[in-house]
Amino acid sequence: MSDDHHTQRLAEPVPPAGRLEVQNPFDLKPIASVDTVGRRGVEAALATAHALFRERGAWLSAHERGAILHRTAAAMQRDADRLAALIAREGGKPLVDAQVEVTRAIDGVHNCAEVLRSDGGREVPMTATAAAAGRLAFTTHEPIGPVVAISAFNHPLNLIVHQVGPAVAAGCPVVVKPAEDTPLSCFAFIDLLREAGLPPGWAQALVTDGPETAEALAADPRVAFLSFIGSAPVGWHLRSRLAPGTRCALEHGGAAPVLVDGGMDPADVVPALAKGGFYHAGQVCVSVQRVFAPRSVAEPLAQALAEAAAALRVDDPSLADTAVGPLIRPAEVDRIDDWVRTALSGGAQLRAGGEPLGRTCYAPTVLLDPPADARVSREEIFGPVICVYPYDDPDSAIAAANDLPFAFQAAVFTHSLDFALRSAQRLDASAVMINDHTAFRTDWMPFAGLRESGLGTGGIPYSFADMRTEKLIVCKS
């Protein structure tokens, strides 16, 4: 049993409501315990955030916020090895990928500081009519108010940076609830912000004692903006509970489609597809899930993917050569295995994997031509499973790709510019990657789920814009 015990990162500590044990998802050994809070802790956090926002004289200036963020990034660079090891231990992400996440998170914090230099107000023309003559009008920006961020487990540091960093940059007090499985990276980031000079009330972190308390946090009328990353049922429910005037951004998941052109050599496609589908054991909201290939290409493509899957080492994420780590919880292993077995009983052909590897890992799996009504074809797998579907013409493949209530990122592999552009125009997606996997992302590009996949646009500059209001000032001469 670990004696590493964490209290909440509140400005005004309150007695805990309980204690949560954090486990290593690979070996299920305890690595830390975290105090949880009930309604009293939520009230303390929101009261602090609300009071800070209402006291305009206490707002931090833009140059102060920028300096704090740059100092935070420097501290993260200093502690990069510790942060990567923490991501691997609590989240199960292979160490090599955890190191990449830390690098991204550091760059993201710099990005949060940089938007302060580039996103200013604008002049509103007042000379177009005689009635407006003799006036000068311009806009400025102000923080929207207290922000509540509810986050997911799969990128336990970088997602927190995406939600908390823009709030700090915008000048909003922020209360963040990390995923119960991975709170330690969040707490570490809040500690580094405070070390860099951010007063404690401007960024508070807590873990609630249950979903009702989390809902009370999100639905409080003092919350100006909710940033939610997680499952669609929870996100849409929370949106329905928001107080009047509370704005929100929701980032859910999808079942990302890939369209492969007939002229592609499987050897040119497989490395990207395997990376996009098996990275972090498929626990990515835009992970490669449904690959549509011409009938003549589907079989060799599935076989090449199977060979790539079989070559991946599935093991302890702390080992340097581990390519695929565990699922976040044993129940997810059971769920994925049930989905795969159901697809096989319906006629899917197994090309690789298809079985649990102990209680916590699942073998990277390739299925050829699962039934169109199977759950692996209709719902987000969120596991290391790639499905390959043969098609007879591209339009039928695009129709199948679009025939879900989700839409997020998609991909097209082709040597033809016409095929690429035509497919990109017809795929239901907020972003289409040409000759790259669906999980490609830079943290300053727009990142948006459509339909059931989300609401609003993520990406650091877009979140920063969401967390500010534009105020018009009109001067009459």
Side-chain angles (χ1 to χ4, degrees):
M1 172 71 182
S2 170
D3 60 1
D4 186 10
H5 179 67
H6 292 258
T7 59
Q8 307 300 321
R9 269 53 173 181
L10 300 180
E12 300 294 335
V14 298
R19 183 176 289 191
L20 172 74
E21 185 176 82
V22 182
Q23 294 182 326
N24 182 316
F26 178 72
D27 58 20
L28 303 180
K29 292 180 179 178
I31 58 175
S33 63
V34 173
D35 286 339
T36 62
V37 302
R39 296 294 182 93
R40 184 176 175 182
V42 165
E43 172 58 31
L46 289 174
T48 296
H50 180 70
L52 279 176
F53 179 69
R54 299 311 305 168
E55 182 54 55
R56 287 177 176 255
W59 287 4
L60 300 174
S61 67
H63 70 82
E64 289 176 307
R65 302 194 303 267
I68 288 167
L69 288 164
H70 282 307
R71 289 195 296 269
T72 301
M76 293 170 71
Q77 188 66 61
R78 177 199 68 203
D79 293 351
D81 290 343
R82 176 179 71 89
L83 293 171
L86 191 58
I87 291 168
R89 288 183 70 211
E90 70 171 342
K93 180 175 288 186
L95 185 59
V96 63
D97 294 323
Q99 291 166 340
V100 172
E101 179 174 341
V102 173
T103 300
R104 284 183 61 185
I106 293 169
D107 184 68
V109 174
H110 282 303
N111 192 185
C112 290
E114 289 161 0
V115 292
L116 287 165
R117 294 180 180 268
S118 59
D119 195 357
R122 59 192 174 91
E123 181 184 355
V124 179
M126 288 286 120
T127 59
T129 67
R135 292 170 176 83
L136 174 67
F138 59 92
T139 65
T140 61
H141 289 99
E142 293 182 349
I144 193 172
V147 170
V148 164
I150 298 178
S151 204
F153 76 86
N154 53 335
H155 305 289
L157 179 62
N158 201 44
L159 292 182
I160 298 297
V161 166
H162 272 253
Q163 295 173 285
V164 173
V168 172
C172 296
V174 57
V175 180
V176 57
K177 190 195 87 64
E180 287 83 355
D181 296 294
T182 56
L184 307 181
S185 296
C186 173
F187 285 179
F189 180 64
I190 298 300
D191 288 343
L192 291 175
L193 280 170
R194 294 179 177 182
E195 177 189 322
L198 186 70
W202 289 96
Q204 303 176 86
L206 54 81
V207 177
T208 60
D209 60 357
E212 295 83 6
T213 305
E215 182 176 317
L217 172 67
D220 192 279
R222 290 166 291 189
V223 177
F225 189 84
L226 171 67
S227 170
F228 175 84
I229 302 175
S231 73
V234 175
W236 292 116
H237 173 73
L238 288 178
R239 183 193 179 222
S240 75
R241 304 297 296 166
L242 295 182
T246 301
R247 301 181 187 180
C248 69
L250 310 177
E251 182 183 311
H252 304 147
V258 177
L259 186 62
V260 179
D261 193 3
M264 298 300 296
D265 184 337
D268 296 332
V269 177
V270 164
L273 294 184
K275 179 64 176 178
F278 300 134
Y279 165 74
H280 197 13
Q283 298 171 115
V284 179
C285 62
V286 286
S287 176
V288 169
Q289 179 169 331
R290 299 177 297 146
V291 179
F292 298 89
R295 195 163 298 278
S296 61
V297 175
E299 170 67 39
L301 177 60
Q303 186 57 42
L305 270 172
E307 293 169 3
L312 297 173
R313 178 174 178 177
V314 183
D315 207 335
D316 186 336
S318 67
L319 301 176
D321 56 351
T322 293
V324 178
L327 278 300
I328 192 63
R329 292 176 292 274
E332 294 302 296
V333 177
D334 296 337
R335 175 187 62 81
I336 291 166
D337 190 50
D338 177 65
W339 287 21
V340 168
R341 290 182 182 278
T342 300
L344 292 174
S345 66
Q349 302 173 44
L350 182 65
R351 289 293 180 266
E355 61 181 354
L357 302 177
R359 291 183 61 198
T360 61
C361 296
Y362 200 81
T365 297
V366 178
L367 300 177
L368 177 62
D369 204 13
D373 60 353
R375 298 187 78 172
V376 297
S377 301
R378 303 295 303 175
E379 301 178 38
E380 181 182 26
I381 295 173
F382 220 61
V385 180
I386 298 176
C387 302
V388 179
Y389 305 86
Y391 69 78
D392 294 311
D393 67 88
D395 286 342
S396 66
I398 292 172
N402 292 342
D403 188 32
L404 293 182
F406 319 105
F408 213 141
Q409 298 197 162
V412 178
F413 283 82
T414 182
H415 295 307
S416 166
L417 180 60
D418 288 344
F419 187 92
L421 295 179
R422 186 179 188 278
S423 301
Q425 290 169 352
R426 285 163 172 75
L427 283 166
D428 290 344
S430 61
V432 179
M433 309 301 154
I434 308 300
N435 294 331
D436 206 345
H437 60 70
T438 56
F440 173 78
R441 182 183 184 185
T442 66
D443 296 316
W444 56 90
M445 77 186 205
F447 191 70
L450 306 178
R451 301 204 291 262
E452 292 185 19
S453 291
L455 179 70
T457 303
I460 284 169
Y462 303 90
S463 297
F464 175 72
D466 277 345
M467 294 175 185
R468 301 198 301 169
T469 57
E470 191 173 32
K471 176 180 280 187
L472 175 68
I473 298 174
V474 182
C475 300
K476 184 178 180 182
S477 172

